[in-house]
Amino acid sequence: MKKKNNIHFKILIVSFAIILIVNILSIICTPFAEFYWKYIFAPVIANIFPRITGIFFFSVGEIMIILGIIVVCMLIPAIITLFICNDKIKKARRAYLIFVMYVLVFIFFTETFNCFIMYHTEKITDKVKFVDTGRDSRVENKNDERGDIYKLLDVYNHVAKNANTLSEKLERDSDGNLISEYTYDECKEALKNTGKYYPLLKGYYPDPKKIINSGIMSQQNLEGIYFPFSMEANYNSLMYCVNMPSTICHELCHLKGYIREDEATFLSYIACVNSENDFIRYSGYINALDYLFDDLMDYGNDDIYSEMVKVNEYVVHDDMFVENYKMEKIEEDSIVSTEKLKKATHAFLDTNLKVNGISSGIKNYDEVVKLLIKYYE
């Protein structure tokens, strides 16, 4: 038994050491991270492993998390059994601890090779020119001499005008809510078309998965999530339908190795607004509008505010995360308050991004505005 335990111990130590070395190498050597992403992850891993989990209609990653919680809960009885000297119990306890260690190594492995390494690749602004990708690559009244705040204003007005126009064309129910009119295939096609200019977006895309526990995601203020350990793009099925196409495209960008939040949001925007489907286009504009509006409010002045395009009542109505009656029901059924979950998620995301070299942390989501201004220049 001791010999078997020693073998497991050696395997675990060597595995952990190799993964740690790869992490360090990707941090100190950008060319290594770039090579891995371009020639191993994007063309091989991202085209093979999602086909396996894609067989299942449910989110494999979500099931894995639920099982992981059960395994962690078993730690309590495992600790209690430390005071019991029965040989069978000792054997079961050792097996459990070895299993937990293998699970931790698996998580470290998949997070590293399907996520962490790509945080250390070159930024999209350093390696790709912002090319004309189609119908939506220029803004009106662009004037480089007016300064950055006016460039921001021009982009905002462009997005607001398009949002206004599309909002009046789309079908709605008797309450004024949008009727969802898109398919997964149309979202994937939009990304593949964007792959003509951003080649790593080419290749296979699995169907995105609805999260069963979307109520918890709603309390966390999460629209979507990418699971590196199952190579799946997941989305919150309870959010207002207009958020879904842009979220799906965002998470599928992560699956192709665009791990930084601002870059995934930017590429999702480009894919959406150049889609042939008006609902998907509208989703892209609505998603970008908040980021642009917030920056204008932070850095603008009365002159800037007076030049902002006013959005119509449809756009105001559609700019929501989850419909009020759904959110009220979620909060009624929850055992943990929305405020606590939101704070915990914010802290986790902020820490995770900073640990992976994104100094701005959670604000990385907002940095898509810089990419949008650069694109429209």
Side-chain angles (χ1 to χ4, degrees), residues 279-336:
F279 188 88
I280 294 176
R281 292 181 65 209
Y282 186 51
S283 178
Y285 288 123
I286 284 288
N287 180 256
L289 205 57
D290 277 341
Y291 294 113
L292 296 164
F293 179 83
D294 288 346
D295 269 22
L296 279 174
M297 291 298 102
D298 288 342
Y299 305 114
N301 52 44
D302 289 341
D303 291 337
I304 293 295
Y305 302 151
S306 67
E307 291 189 42
M308 290 173 64
V309 169
K310 291 183 179 179
V311 294
N312 64 32
E313 58 183 6
Y314 287 133
V315 174
V316 173
H317 173 80
D318 295 335
D319 186 22
M320 71 172 98
F321 173 39
V322 178
E323 292 164 89
N324 289 335
Y325 79 92
K326 288 185 181 179
M327 201 66 217
E328 288 171 4
K329 183 70 167 65
I330 290 167
E331 290 176 341
E332 282 177 14
D333 296 341
S334 177
I335 57 174
V336 182

Side-chain angles (χ1 to χ4, degrees), residues 185-213:
D185 286 343
E186 287 174 308
C187 292
K188 292 188 280 187
E189 189 62 30
L191 284 170
K192 288 177 182 178
N193 289 337
T194 308
K196 296 173 185 175
Y197 309 97
Y198 302 92
L200 295 180
L201 287 176
K202 292 180 178 178
Y204 170 78
Y205 286 97
D207 281 348
K209 307 282 186 70
K210 295 179 181 180
I211 290 293
I212 298 169
N213 294 288

Side-chain angles (χ1 to χ4, degrees), residues 107-174:
I107 293 171
F108 191 27
F109 176 86
T110 52
E111 289 285 343
T112 294
F113 288 96
N114 297 342
C115 181
F116 292 163
I117 293 175
M118 273 68 74
Y119 275 115
H120 307 292
T121 58
E122 292 180 12
K123 293 181 179 179
I124 197 170
T125 48
D126 298 332
K127 58 177 175 269
V128 179
K129 290 183 179 180
F130 287 77
V131 293
D132 182 341
T133 58
R135 74 172 88 196
D136 195 274
S137 57
R138 294 291 180 269
V139 300
E140 297 175 13
N141 304 320
K142 179 177 72 64
N143 187 336
D144 292 340
E145 297 178 358
R146 295 197 295 167
D148 288 342
I149 189 63
Y150 280 96
K151 293 177 185 176
L152 171 60
L153 175 65
D154 287 340
V155 176
Y156 171 83
N157 284 343
H158 173 76
V159 171
K161 285 177 184 176
N162 280 282
N164 282 340
T165 301
L166 287 168
S167 69
E168 296 174 352
K169 294 171 63 177
L170 298 172
E171 204 173 334
R172 297 175 182 273
D173 63 21
S174 57

Side-chain angles (χ1 to χ4, degrees), residues 24-85:
I24 294 170
L25 191 57
S26 68
I27 293 171
I28 64 176
C29 184
T30 300
F32 168 77
E34 279 285 309
F35 178 86
Y36 173 77
W37 181 29
K38 288 180 179 178
Y39 301 106
I40 299 175
F41 181 80
V44 181
I45 295 175
N47 277 296
I48 293 176
F49 286 94
R51 295 177 189 271
I52 299 171
T53 51
I55 295 171
F56 304 94
F57 67 89
F58 55 86
S59 174
V60 176
E62 184 178 14
I63 300 301
M64 291 170 75
I65 289 174
I66 293 170
L67 293 175
I69 292 171
I70 294 171
V71 169
V72 170
C73 291
M74 289 172 61
L75 184 63
I76 297 172
I79 293 171
I80 293 173
T81 60
L82 288 173
F83 302 100
I84 301 174
C85 296

